[in-house]
């Protein structure tokens, strides 16, 4: 519950009415000051309209930025999906060097299909495990 003797600001404080009065007197204050409140509100309306226009302009700019970002991302996805669409050839250069050194070669990453899994090949040119020295192991 609220105390009727509590001192509060006028409901139109945000618009410029500086009255502070007991809660029980608010209704009488609103009736007695209707004309001055209307004048204050008439002066405040253009400011509120301008504030809303400014907000709408900012939102429009933000939407334009987000749309531009979305377009860039869609273009990037389209480019990636074209670049990695199967079938494709993966070439391992210097096979002999990897075999002689016993090092592992990793392919550039690729996708199984547009929007699919990203993966790469891991090649043991000299084999691995039970195929060590006799087979090529590809994972």
């Amino acid at each position: 519950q609220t105390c009727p003797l509590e001192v509060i600001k006028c409901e139109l404080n945000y618009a410029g009415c500086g009255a502070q009065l007991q809660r029980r007197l608010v209704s009488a204050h609103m009736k007695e000051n209707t004309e001055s409140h209307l004048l204050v509100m008439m002066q405040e309306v253009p400011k509120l309209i301008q504030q809303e226009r400014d907000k709408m302009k900012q939102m429009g700019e933000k939407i334009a930025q987000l749309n531009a970002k979305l377009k860039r991302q869609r273009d990037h996805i389209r480019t990636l999906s074209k670049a990695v669409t199967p079938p494709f050839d993966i070439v391992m250069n210097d096979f002999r060097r990897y075999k002689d050194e016993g090092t592992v070669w990793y392919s550039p990453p690729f996708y199984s299909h547009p929007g699919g899994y990203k993966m790469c090949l891991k090649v043991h040119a000299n084999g691995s495990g039970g195929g060590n020295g006799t087979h090529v192991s590809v994972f």
Side-chain angles (χ1 to χ4, degrees), residues 20-70:
Q20 294 190 12
L21 57 153
Q22 292 178 343
R23 186 179 302 279
R24 65 184 176 85
L25 302 175
V26 168
S27 181
H29 169 76
M30 296 300 280
K31 287 179 187 174
E32 292 171 11
N33 294 285
T34 301
E35 189 175 325
S36 64
H37 282 157
L38 282 174
L39 289 172
V40 167
M41 290 303 293
M42 287 174 56
Q43 293 172 355
E44 192 65 22
V45 167
K47 294 176 191 172
L48 294 173
I49 290 172
Q50 187 58 47
Q51 288 174 355
E52 292 305 311
R53 283 183 179 152
D54 292 344
K55 286 179 188 177
M56 288 175 62
K57 182 180 176 185
Q58 289 174 348
M59 284 188 219
E61 291 169 354
K62 184 66 174 175
I63 288 170
Q65 290 172 357
L66 291 172
N67 280 334
K69 184 176 181 180
L70 179 61

Side-chain angles (χ1 to χ4, degrees), residues 92-115:
M92 178 180 178
N93 294 317
D94 297 329
F95 178 83
R96 174 61 60 193
R97 181 174 60 85
Y98 286 100
K99 182 170 176 53
D100 292 343
E101 294 175 2
T103 56
V104 176
W105 176 80
Y106 292 91
S107 74
F110 60 93
Y111 290 88
S112 59
H113 60 281

